[in-house]
Amino acid sequence: MTSGGAVNFDYLFKYIIIGDAAVGKSNLLLRYAHGQFKAEYQLTIGVEFGAKNVEIRNKIYRVQIWDTAGQESFRSITRAYYKNSVCALVVYDISSRDSFNNVSTWIEDCKNQSPSTIYMVLVGNKKDLDDRRQVTTEEGQELADKFGMQFYETSAKTGENVENIFIDSADVIAKKIDENYYDLENDSCGIKQGVNRASGNNNNARRLDEQQNQSRPKSSCCLKWNPLVLIILLNIK
Ligand code: GDP
Ligand code: MG
């Protein structure tokens, strides 16, 4: 179950989305965090993030998703973008063989630059474009198996399977926390412990989002994700 409000939470997870330009990364974020889809292609400007809460077994996990600043077009995503992430969604477009062929490079890049504990998920997006499909579901699954990743085919357009990525991955990460897999004292694992929800301080989620925003890659411009910024960004031609 998910909810959009900035309430207190038990843990904050930092997710990143990587993959070739135009595979639908920004729209997956838009769909998940705001339930929207944008048909026109707009280059992502500035590092953006959306956040939404996932409730699992009576705990609230705030999943904060960071989107690239169009750097993927130049294959120049910096270490700063990868750092302090608990989960990476590696996205390709099922109607683009090229984007699928590049997945292994993205995975290697992620492995080289992220914390060793990073949890990676493979996402074949644009499932609704079945008539233009260039990559079969079996090929996607095979690649995911090769790298030991969870695999989903999604559509940011229809919303199919999008929420499941986040619910399932948050569940896996929550279980790993219970197994002491992460060093929670160290921010680099991509997890921040939340405040005691019983304390009733509703400003904490926002404060932590702001802290994260201040620590974002220095190359990005000074934009904090909010619906107004999103509307402005999506209208920049
Ligand atoms: P990004 O460069 O990876 O962030 O890709 P965008 O999210 O900006 O999407 C690139 C283009 O693909 C845009 O025109 C989107 O409308 C379109 N798009 C994204 N996701 C889907 C999808 O699931 N189905 C379809 N049909 N189009 C999509
Ligand atoms: Mg984008």
Side-chain angles (χ1 to χ4, degrees), residues 90-114:
V90 187
V91 186
Y92 67 92
D93 169 355
I94 65 134
S95 69
S96 159
R97 169 64 56 181
D98 279 353
S99 73
F100 182 69
N101 290 343
N102 288 332
V103 159
S104 302
T105 313
W106 284 112
I107 292 172
E108 290 307 325
D109 206 30
C110 184
K111 276 188 180 163
N112 291 336
Q113 309 213 48
S114 303

Side-chain angles (χ1 to χ4, degrees), residues 25-26 41-44 67-68 70 72:
K25 301 181 298 297
S26 298
Y41 178 51
Q42 305 281 351
L43 196 67
T44 304
D67 188 15
T68 52
E72 75 276 30

Side-chain angles (χ1 to χ4, degrees), residues 17 19-30 37-44 67-68 70 72-73 91 93 125-129 132 154-159 162 234:
I17 308 188
D20 279 8
V23 295
K25 301 181 298 297
S26 298
N27 271 281
L28 283 168
L29 168 57
L30 189 60
F37 176 73
K38 193 85 184 167
E40 268 176 59
Y41 178 51
Q42 305 281 351
L43 196 67
T44 304
D67 188 15
T68 52
E72 75 276 30
S73 324
V91 186
D93 169 355
N125 189 42
K126 307 198 188 179
K127 188 174 195 279
D128 57 290
L129 297 181
R132 284 160 48 186
T154 59
S155 168
K157 186 174 183 180
T158 66
V162 175
L234 292 177

Side-chain angles (χ1 to χ4, degrees), residues 22-83:
V23 295
K25 301 181 298 297
S26 298
N27 271 281
L28 283 168
L29 168 57
L30 189 60
R31 167 62 64 196
Y32 176 66
H34 300 278
Q36 294 169 5
F37 176 73
K38 193 85 184 167
E40 268 176 59
Y41 178 51
Q42 305 281 351
L43 196 67
T44 304
I45 302 165
V47 172
E48 299 174 346
F49 71 86
K52 190 164 155 179
N53 297 334
V54 181
E55 188 176 334
I56 304 166
R57 292 180 291 278
N58 292 326
K59 283 208 168 84
I60 294 186
Y61 300 91
R62 187 165 185 78
V63 177
Q64 193 181 62
I65 309 137
W66 291 69
D67 188 15
T68 52
Q71 306 152 5
E72 75 276 30
S73 324
F74 312 105
R75 290 283 172 77
S76 63
I77 295 187
T78 55
R79 187 176 287 273
Y81 180 71
Y82 285 98
K83 110 179 175 188

